[in-house]
Amino acid sequence: MKNLLRLPVFPILLIFTGLLVAETPSAVAIRNARIVPVSGPAIAKGTVVVRNGLIESVGENVAVPADAWIVEGDGLTVYPGLIDALSTWGLPDAATPATPAGRGAAGPATPTAVPAIPPAPPARGPQDRPGTSSWLHAADLIKTTDRRLETVRSGGFTTAVTFPNRGIFAGQGAVIDLAGETTGQMVVAEPMGQYMTMVSAGFGSYPSSLMGVIGYIRQIYIDADYYTLQKKAYAANPRGLKRPEYDRALEGVIESPWILLPASRLVEMDRMLRFAAELKKKVILYGGQEGYRAGELLSKAHTPVLVNLKWPEKARDGDPDAPESLRTMEVRDKAPSTPAVLVKNGVPFAFYSGGIDQPRDLFKAVKRAIDAGLSADQALRAMTLSPAEIYGVADRLGSIEKGKIANLVVAKGELFQDKPEIKFVFVDGVKFVPAPVPEEAPRRPGAPDAAEPPPPSIEREVR
């Protein structure tokens, strides 16, 4: 059998941690492989050289450095590492970002794993802000011990934009690479915006309704504007002025470069776009599953959308004889066509996992979008370069280009076929060999989906 990897004479240290990890030298060359840069046309037969965690060169006529390990790429394809555009990967204690179903939506909201927390007390004034943890930075909460990292990395995911998820103002996200000996090595960029849930966590009174939550958010931004003016005035002439009290909640709001707002239904998209305009904030919408009805609206707004890959489906534990509305069945049927509609209308979008942590289930979900009109190239872009562009990190991630971070997937055949065969994954230039993926056991009729997170324990969704 032909060796895929030709090694120099020096010894190699192999470490077994579920994935087989090779101590990668300073340079690696993947040669004679098909290369899909995403930022340009595919290269039928070319070479990618990786050095010190970065892509040193890529192209058809690239010379292989004398000191490089050589990966023989005959019959293999090199893709950029996949990116989850909205995630809690790396935050094992965080809830899973979910999409509100809203009143009249098709099916229940995406189940969300929520830490058991006591009900929040009622708000008693501007200084009392339950449901706000805007000062939290995902970069400070990352744990290398999150078991999901190994699982998704084996499936070709090298990067995630990960967020805290608790309360209304949940906290600020970070772009992280899904490998590293320390958490500091994993963080690529931060902050990546303020994640907002529109969820009231056990409020007995205000803000316990959607109107209350919107009023609550509006008041916090009014407070933030006044707080900013106070700080500027004091900084310009502190003599004789009482200094403003430090407010970590408002500091977190001010620091965030943009906000992420939930919107799955057409009415929610319209509402959140109007609300963002009122707040004068740059916004990214997440959910987006009814985007097949909102192409024109989103096109005019020039607003990026993160599309949840957990497509609506009939509850497995529900009454099979219970009647369903035509609207419910329509959304369940047409939601996977949303990405194709967004492409047609020129709306920037990216995919996110929506609580699915098994790569094979994510690939199946992408395949549904492809079957509904999205091309395989467009699907790949929605999981690589598009999320990098939306979050402003396309200068370092999302495509195979000289100088970018060496996050690569080396696979046999097409990535979105039924069972993609991933040979190697490079994260920051470090090579991982995925462990064999166990065969998927047939599911008993009525049995729960193993990839589905548990239902919420305390928090409930504001309709």
Side-chain angles (χ1 to χ4, degrees):
M1 182 176 178
K2 187 175 181 180
N3 291 328
L4 289 174
L5 187 63
R6 193 182 73 199
L7 306 178
V9 178
F10 52 82
I12 303 163
L13 175 64
L14 294 180
I15 306 171
F16 292 88
T17 58
L19 285 178
L20 181 64
V21 183
E23 186 182 26
T24 307
S26 60
V28 175
I30 309 168
R31 70 178 183 185
N32 298 326
R34 177 173 174 260
I35 302 168
V36 183
V38 174
S39 57
I43 300 169
K45 197 168 189 178
T47 299
V48 181
V49 178
V50 172
R51 186 181 296 276
N52 296 327
L54 301 175
I55 298 171
E56 182 176 80
S57 55
V58 56
E60 290 181 335
N61 301 307
V62 171
V64 176
D67 62 337
W69 277 8
I70 298 176
V71 177
E72 296 292 355
D74 291 315
L76 302 180
T77 301
V78 185
Y79 300 94
L82 302 181
I83 301 174
D84 184 0
L86 176 57
S87 182
T88 60
W89 294 344
L91 303 178
D93 299 326
T96 302
T99 301
R103 186 168 48 204
T110 301
T112 306
V114 179
I117 55 176
R124 295 184 174 85
Q127 75 285 354
D128 184 15
R129 298 189 181 93
T132 295
S133 53
S134 58
W135 60 88
L136 290 180
H137 284 247
D140 298 330
L141 307 173
I142 301 298
K143 294 183 180 179
T144 60
T145 54
D146 186 351
R147 294 181 180 180
R148 296 174 297 174
L149 297 179
E150 183 178 309
T151 299
V152 296
R153 197 170 57 219
S154 292
F157 284 87
T158 62
T159 307
V161 190
T162 194
F163 287 85
N165 181 24
R166 181 168 172 174
I168 298 171
F169 285 80
Q172 303 179 55
V175 177
I176 65 168
D177 278 348
L178 303 180
E181 294 182 3
T182 66
T183 56
Q185 292 176 352
M186 295 172 64
V187 177
V188 176
E190 74 95 35
M192 285 293 115
Q194 184 73 221
Y195 180 72
M196 301 173 71
T197 66
M198 296 290 174
V199 171
S200 62
F203 287 90
S205 60
Y206 171 83
S208 59
S209 66
L210 178 58
M211 183 179 295
V213 170
I214 289 176
Y216 177 90
I217 294 170
R218 185 182 288 120
Q219 183 61 56
I220 284 184
Y221 276 104
I222 291 172
D223 293 346
D225 289 342
Y226 181 67
Y227 179 69
T228 300
L229 291 174
Q230 282 185 308
K231 290 180 65 177
K232 287 181 177 179
Y234 184 77
N237 185 17
R239 191 183 297 271
L241 290 178
K242 183 180 179 181
R243 70 180 182 276
E245 293 184 12
Y246 176 81
D247 190 318
R248 66 175 182 173
L250 298 183
E251 290 286 349
V253 169
I254 294 167
E255 184 182 7
S256 303
W258 52 76
I259 57 177
L260 282 76
L261 293 175
S264 269
R265 297 184 300 137
L266 174 60
V267 66
E268 292 166 345
M269 295 175 199
D270 182 61
R271 179 188 297 135
M272 291 298 103
L273 289 173
R274 292 174 185 271
F275 190 40
E278 176 191 335
L279 298 175
K280 298 180 181 179
K281 287 293 180 181
K282 181 180 177 182
V283 66
I284 299 172
L285 299 182
Y286 68 91
Q289 294 191 331
E290 228 178 84
Y292 66 90
R293 302 180 64 219
E296 185 176 350
L297 170 69
L298 296 171
S299 179
K300 289 180 179 178
H302 305 291
T303 298
V305 179
L306 309 181
V307 178
N308 189 353
L309 280 171
K310 193 170 181 63
W311 304 118
E313 59 182 23
K314 190 171 183 178
R316 293 193 176 97
D317 56 353
D319 181 358
D321 298 323
E324 292 185 306
S325 69
L326 182 61
R327 173 71 182 280
T328 295
M329 292 186 287
E330 176 197 277
V331 175
R332 196 159 58 225
D333 177 60
K334 292 188 175 180
S337 69
T338 285
V341 171
L342 297 181
V343 169
K344 182 179 178 181
N345 285 273
V347 179
F349 79 97
F351 285 130
Y352 73 95
S353 56
I356 304 174
D357 295 328
Q358 291 296 328
R360 64 177 171 234
D361 295 325
L362 288 167
F363 288 145
K364 287 178 183 177
V366 174
K367 184 65 165 54
R368 287 189 63 187
I370 292 173
D371 292 342
L374 190 70
S375 74
D377 288 343
Q378 292 162 348
L380 178 64
R381 199 183 200 287
M383 302 179 77
T384 53
L385 189 54
S386 288
E389 290 173 341
I390 288 170
Y391 287 105
V393 292
D395 57 348
R396 66 204 83 171
L397 289 171
S399 60
I400 305 177
E401 297 180 73
K402 181 178 179 180
K404 288 194 174 184
I405 296 170
N407 289 350
L408 305 169
V409 180
V410 183
K412 185 175 181 180
E414 296 296 327
L415 198 57
F416 298 122
Q417 62 187 9
D418 290 338
K419 293 183 180 179
E421 188 177 350
I422 295 174
K423 296 293 187 180
F424 311 115
V425 176
F426 288 84
V427 183
D428 278 312
V430 177
K431 182 172 92 44
F432 295 85
V433 180
V437 179
E439 289 294 326
E440 186 177 6
R443 188 174 57 85
R444 302 189 321 272
D449 190 339
E452 201 171 287
S457 56
I458 294 291
E459 290 190 3
R460 64 181 177 82
E461 194 173 336
V462 177
R463 293 288 196 265

